[in-house]
Amino acid sequence: MIGCSSKESNDVEVFTWWASGSEKSGLDALVKVFDEQHPSLNFVNGSVLGGAGSNARDVLASRMAAHNPPDTFQVHAGMELADYIKAGQVQDLAAMYTENGWRDVFPARLLELLTVDGKIYSVPSNVHRANVVWANTDVLTRAGVDPKHQPANLDEWFGDLDRIKATGVTPLAMGKDWTQVHLLETVLLARLGPAAYTALFDKREGWDSPQVSGAIGDFARLLTYTNADSQFLDWSDALQQVIDGKAAYNVMGDWADAAFRDQGKKFDVDYTAFPVPGSQGSFDFLADSFTLPVGSKHETAAKAWLTTVASAEGQRAFNTAKGSIPARTEMDAGDYPKYQQIAHESYTNDVIVPSLAHGAATSVRWLADITTAVREFGTTHDVDKLRTTLVAGATKNGP
Ligand code: BGC
């Protein structure tokens, strides 16, 4: 147990975007372990509503600018974290890693995404997969689509979407801006394959290729199957249409699994999941992690939070509730629901690629530019304009 010096209050403000529904259930499970491990400390919930951090990131930026950071904040591993490191806003945690032996409990390839110049800046809580289609089995069956058959590629999937459309049900539920970027990224992955997809970001190469044009065309076609109110919905509202049988499919990260389960739905009975057709063999990766900001007012308590996040108990409690797999290497599959066992197998065997919509692939600024372009596309449907803007964005947001 970590106590606090008398100068520090026992509060620890933990800033996340896990503010409601199944995400809050996940956070609550982690807080329960924190309370057990550190009974003298007081968790203060600093969450800001809005999927994928869509509102939280702006709030965090204002707080940072006002020198009023939370004690610890959620951040995606990869390029998003790199932004905060470059800005000098987060502290090096190398000493904590050494002291607690954490370098041995997290996989090396994950630690690389948290490390710059030998310093390591956050503690990972979980790993999510983004390239997943979630489906309501009943809606599929009623349309004559076999829920056990996973479409091999986008063209085959379009056939199923047409069959569903003919029954009058929304084929593909979608939400606003970032959820559309999420859909686009999975289509890019399906069309380009893991190597060319990754090169778009790490080499900023290939945006003007025919494959990217083809993917934008596929994306445009997918939008024709979506709900009319998409611009107003966050991920959970869009997914709810699938849970309620008002829509057949939703493309979303595997936090969706927790939302189904929270509402008593059974995997392979009420709902099913499969890789976005064409992206089989790739694990579109993202990880949440927690930092120690420069200027954290309750550093000792914040470090205690980080210790709970890293602990085997914390990871088990959080990830079983959250739909993710643990960031720690050990995972007792028997502790986890069926879907997460499948995700873990994919994480172990498939090619790992970085998620665009969830901070692994690009800086916050580049992602913001892409999100604006995709949002506009929702009204203009101008394929050439989207492609030109994406090409320009890759140059503008160079290193
Ligand atoms: C986060 C997940 C979260 C999802 C929806 C992702 O960016 O990594 O933890 O559940 O957004 O809010």
Side-chain angles (χ1 to χ4, degrees):
M1 191 205 307
I2 298 178
C4 284
S5 78
S6 54
K7 279 202 196 118
E8 289 192 337
S9 94
N10 287 341
D11 287 352
V12 53
E13 190 203 353
V14 178
F15 184 96
T16 71
W17 56 88
W18 299 326
S20 68
S22 52
E23 296 180 315
K24 174 144 191 321
S25 307
L27 179 60
D28 288 347
L30 185 55
V31 172
K32 189 162 177 274
V33 176
F34 177 70
D35 288 343
E36 282 158 17
Q37 291 181 344
H38 305 284
S40 63
L41 300 180
N42 179 35
F43 168 85
V44 177
N45 191 343
S47 60
V48 174
L49 190 66
S54 44
N55 302 322
R57 262 188 302 277
D58 288 345
V59 174
L60 185 62
S62 323
R63 289 189 57 173
M64 291 292 199
H67 303 291
N68 177 31
D71 296 315
T72 175
F73 66 86
Q74 173 190 1
V75 65
H76 290 123
M79 295 309 288
E80 184 181 307
L81 173 64
D83 273 4
Y84 296 98
I85 299 172
K86 263 189 243 144
Q89 292 171 323
V90 287
Q91 300 191 40
D92 174 23
L93 303 174
M96 280 193 88
Y97 268 78
T98 306
E99 208 175 296
N100 294 288
W102 289 341
R103 286 178 207 280
D104 301 327
V105 303
F106 296 115
R109 66 185 173 197
L110 177 54
L111 292 180
E112 269 168 38
L113 295 172
L114 311 174
T115 303
V116 169
D117 295 336
K119 296 180 176 163
I120 184 155
Y121 290 90
S122 70
V123 177
S125 50
N126 59 304
V127 169
H128 272 302
R129 187 182 197 194
N131 57 321
V132 189
V133 181
W134 302 89
N136 181 308
T137 49
D138 211 35
V139 172
L140 264 50
T141 309
R142 275 190 273 124
V145 174
D146 178 4
K148 295 214 181 323
H149 176 75
Q150 306 190 354
N153 51 45
L154 287 172
D155 291 328
E156 200 186 307
W157 195 32
F158 287 139
D160 292 344
L161 286 157
D162 284 332
R163 269 184 279 283
I164 290 153
K165 196 171 186 174
T167 68
V169 174
T170 300
L172 180 62
M174 192 182 67
K176 62 186 173 187
D177 43 32
W178 72 265
T179 73
Q180 301 174 12
V181 175
H182 186 121
L183 178 62
L184 175 63
E185 98 179 45
T186 64
V187 173
L188 284 166
L189 176 60
R191 252 297 181 169
L192 277 70
Y197 166 86
T198 305
L200 292 174
F201 306 108
D202 65 358
K203 303 199 181 103
R204 293 183 313 287
E205 227 174 65
W207 286 97
D208 52 358
S209 66
Q211 287 81 359
V212 169
S213 300
I216 296 175
D218 290 330
F219 176 61
R221 178 158 178 197
L222 283 173
L223 295 192
T224 67
Y225 297 106
T226 58
N227 41 311
D229 57 353
S230 60
Q231 302 288 354
F232 307 103
L233 306 182
D234 206 334
W235 74 271
S236 47
D237 313 309
L239 182 76
Q240 194 62 41
Q241 298 191 353
V242 177
I243 298 177
D244 293 341
K246 294 189 179 124
Y249 301 109
N250 176 233
V251 171
M252 195 34 61
D254 47 16
W255 43 92
D257 189 62
F260 278 105
R261 282 192 283 110
D262 255 24
Q263 295 182 47
K265 304 296 180 191
K266 301 233 166 348
F267 185 76
D268 267 351
V269 179
D270 304 305
Y271 69 102
T272 187
F274 52 87
V276 169
S279 76
Q280 299 89 332
S282 293
F283 185 101
D284 187 7
F285 160 97
L286 63 125
D288 295 299
S289 68
F290 284 88
T291 58
L292 183 62
V294 170
S296 157
K297 286 182 214 64
H298 307 114
E299 273 200 18
T300 311
K303 284 183 176 167
W305 173 259
L306 299 180
T307 309
T308 294
V309 167
S311 69
E313 301 74 26
Q315 299 241 333
R316 192 183 318 109
F318 176 65
N319 288 297
T320 47
K322 183 66 169 55
S324 34
I325 52 177
R328 289 175 69 109
T329 34
E330 89 270 7
M331 165 169 164
D332 192 341
D335 288 345
Y336 284 80
K338 176 81 188 295
Y339 167 77
Q340 280 141 290
Q341 297 179 18
I342 297 171
H344 185 249
E345 218 176 291
S346 163
Y347 184 53
T348 313
N349 300 317
D350 290 346
V351 184
I352 311 272
V353 301
S355 166
L356 164 63
H358 304 279
T362 69
S363 64
V364 171
R365 197 184 56 173
W366 188 3
L367 174 58
D369 285 352
I370 293 175
T371 307
T372 306
V374 170
R375 187 187 300 129
E376 270 175 33
F377 182 75
T379 38
T380 63
H381 300 270
D382 186 337
V383 173
D384 282 343
K385 180 151 186 248
L386 177 55
R387 198 200 32 188
T388 319
T389 315
L390 293 175
V391 171
T395 312
K396 178 182 151 205
N397 290 290

